[in-house]
Amino acid sequence: MTLPSENFQLIYAVVAQVPKGRVATYGQVASLAGLPRRARLVGYALRNLAKGNKLPWHRVVNANGKISERNDDGSGALSQRKRLEREGVQFEPHGGISLARYQWQSEDI
């Protein structure tokens, strides 16, 4: 049986590989970490990162290419959007990201 902290380490290892200017979906990260259909676990793992962690958590978005809210005031989403824009990721008028254009393909490593 894999412990939650072991699962978190698998998730963090995948997120660490997402290159600048690209995004991955929660489900994609889960699958690449060997945890298929565990997208919510990815979200939970990223929410539990220690402050100041250098992991590029901001490069993970939902399956619709949108930022998932992290707190009630929306400041987390704004921070994530600004980080992605600084990396050259452009947002569509509807607020999402074109996954066809920006989604990371793991074979790009």
Side-chain angles (χ1 to χ4, degrees), residues 7-103:
N7 287 341
F8 283 14
Q9 293 307 313
L10 293 169
I11 290 165
Y12 297 154
V14 172
V15 173
Q17 296 177 58
V18 181
K20 182 178 177 180
R22 295 284 182 210
V23 297
T25 66
Y26 291 97
Q28 177 185 8
V29 170
S31 291
L32 290 170
L35 303 164
R37 298 190 315 260
R38 304 285 303 274
R40 287 184 186 198
L41 181 62
V42 173
Y44 185 74
L46 294 179
R47 275 193 305 276
N48 285 287
L49 280 172
K51 287 210 182 263
N53 188 295
K54 301 295 183 195
L55 195 73
W57 59 268
H58 61 281
R59 297 180 187 149
V60 182
V61 298
N62 69 29
N64 295 319
K66 293 189 174 184
I67 293 172
S68 295
E69 292 295 327
R70 285 180 169 56
N71 53 29
D72 293 335
D73 67 3
S75 63
L78 182 60
S79 171
Q80 184 174 4
R81 182 179 176 127
K82 286 182 178 182
R83 287 173 184 240
L84 288 169
E85 287 175 334
R86 281 194 299 264
E87 293 184 359
V89 176
Q90 297 178 353
F91 285 75
E92 303 287 330
H94 61 78
I97 297 165
S98 169
L99 293 177
R101 182 172 179 191
Y102 293 106
Q103 188 170 16

